């Protein structure tokens, strides 16, 4: 069964709306989670590393004020796309785990469509 | 820093045949791990196979096997007896070893089409 749960799976909303995506680790404690963005037929682009109890580490070029990350507990990280616009439409995926040879577990992704 | 390169944007194979997907990588780490992930149209990320860099033996998982050439920094995936369900985008990825949670570095991906 899934070890990382991501919700919602699909969001369609109007421009200017803020959208929150949740990523939960179901059967393990995740001090670190990762958020990715993916365009069609392209690779996953790491947006940020979410650290429990501290600020997220953003990759170069990712707007911190646009993509707010909160990791308030060992099992939950959230990504909020603030004042979303059509160019923010994409597929967002979270992952957790991945220390040493243990592979990261991925959520099923969220397809975000901004009208 | 790590880089992963997949030079085949698209590949195709006939059902029941064998196909090999290429991947090269570069890393300054002495301890690292390599993975192949499969992303079907549902867009779930599914781990196919993993290889510890310190192991010389190539990893195998049923119909999936790798050819790990450490000196050449090559990590190709062989799919034997291809099935329609193997059609997906495949990503090669690397991660540094150690006790901390490291970042996965992905290749560009290869879209695999399986013809009946």
């Amino acid at each position: 069964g899934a070890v990382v749960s991501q919700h919602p799976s699909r969001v369609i909303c109007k421009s200017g709306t803020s959208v929150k995506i949740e990523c939960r680790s179901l059967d393990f404690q995740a001090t670190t989670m990762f958020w990715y963005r993916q365009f069609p037929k392209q690779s996953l682009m790491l947006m940020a590393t979410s650290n429990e109890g501290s600020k997220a580490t953003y990759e170069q070029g990712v707007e911190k004020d646009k993509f707010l990350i909160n990791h308030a507990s060992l099992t939950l990280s959230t990504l909020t796309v603030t004042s979303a616009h059509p160019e923010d439409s994409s597929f967002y995926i979270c992952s957790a785990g991945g220390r040493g040879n243990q592979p990261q577990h991925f959520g099923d992704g969220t397809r975000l469509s901004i009208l | 820093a790590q880089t992963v390169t997949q030079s085949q944007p698209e590949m195709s194979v006939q059902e029941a045949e064998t196909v090999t997907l290429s991947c090269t990588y570069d890393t300054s780490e002495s301890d690292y791990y390599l993975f192949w992930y499969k992303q079907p149209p549902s867009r779930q990320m599914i781990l196919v196979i993993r290889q510890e860099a310190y192991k010389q033996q190539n990893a195998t998982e049923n119909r999936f096997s790798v050819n790990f050439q450490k000196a050449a920094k090559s990590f190709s995936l062989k799919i034997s007896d291809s099935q329609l369900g193997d059609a997906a985008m495949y990503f090669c990825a690397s991660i540094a070893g150690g006790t901390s949670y490291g970042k996965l570095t992905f290749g560009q991906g290869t879209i695999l089409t399986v013809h009946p």
Side-chain angles (χ1 to χ4, degrees), chain A residues 101-106, chain B residues 6 19-21 34-40 44-52 58-67 75-80 82 85-93 104 106 110 112:
Chain A
N101 70 341
Q102 298 303 310
Q104 288 185 13
H105 300 284
F106 288 84
Chain B
Q6 294 177 248
V19 64
T20 298
L21 307 184
L34 300 166
F35 305 89
W36 278 97
Y37 281 91
K38 169 185 177 181
Q39 189 180 42
Q44 282 181 300
M45 290 292 286
I46 302 167
L47 177 66
V48 176
I49 200 166
R50 62 183 163 185
Q51 174 82 42
E52 291 89 344
N58 289 323
T60 299
E61 287 287 344
N62 300 314
R63 299 182 294 108
F64 299 87
S65 62
V66 298
N67 184 1
F75 183 61
S76 60
L77 174 70
K78 185 172 81 172
I79 306 174
S80 304
S82 297
D86 295 334
M89 192 160 190
Y90 286 81
F91 293 100
C92 178
L104 271 172
F106 285 96
T110 298
L112 178 66

Side-chain angles (χ1 to χ4, degrees), chain A residues 25 35 53 57 61 90 105 107:
Chain A
S25 57
W35 287 97
T57 304
S90 190
H105 300 284

Side-chain angles (χ1 to χ4, degrees), chain A residues 69-107:
Chain A
I69 292 173
N70 184 278
H71 195 154
S73 77
L74 287 171
T75 59
L76 174 64
S77 174
T78 60
L79 168 68
T80 300
V81 183
T82 62
S83 187
H85 292 285
E87 58 267 27
D88 299 322
S89 298
S90 190
F91 190 69
Y92 294 88
I93 313 176
C94 70
S95 72
R99 182 162 60 184
N101 70 341
Q102 298 303 310
Q104 288 185 13
H105 300 284
F106 288 84

Side-chain angles (χ1 to χ4, degrees), chain A residues 22-56:
Chain A
E22 293 187 348
C23 182
R24 294 182 184 272
S25 57
L26 299 181
D27 56 2
F28 65 100
Q29 294 182 332
T31 56
T32 302
M33 292 184 177
F34 301 93
W35 287 97
Y36 298 86
R37 184 174 181 175
Q38 186 183 30
F39 293 104
K41 297 188 178 181
Q42 293 188 24
S43 189
L44 280 70
M45 180 186 75
L46 180 65
M47 299 174 65
T49 302
S50 173
N51 303 299
E52 187 268 334
S54 65
K55 292 183 179 180

Side-chain angles (χ1 to χ4, degrees), chain B residues 15-33:
Chain B
E15 196 175 5
E17 297 295 309
T18 296
V19 64
T20 298
L21 307 184
S22 300
C23 172
T24 58
Y25 64 93
D26 195 12
T27 180
S28 57
E29 304 286 341
S30 58
D31 181 21
Y32 58 93
Y33 302 91

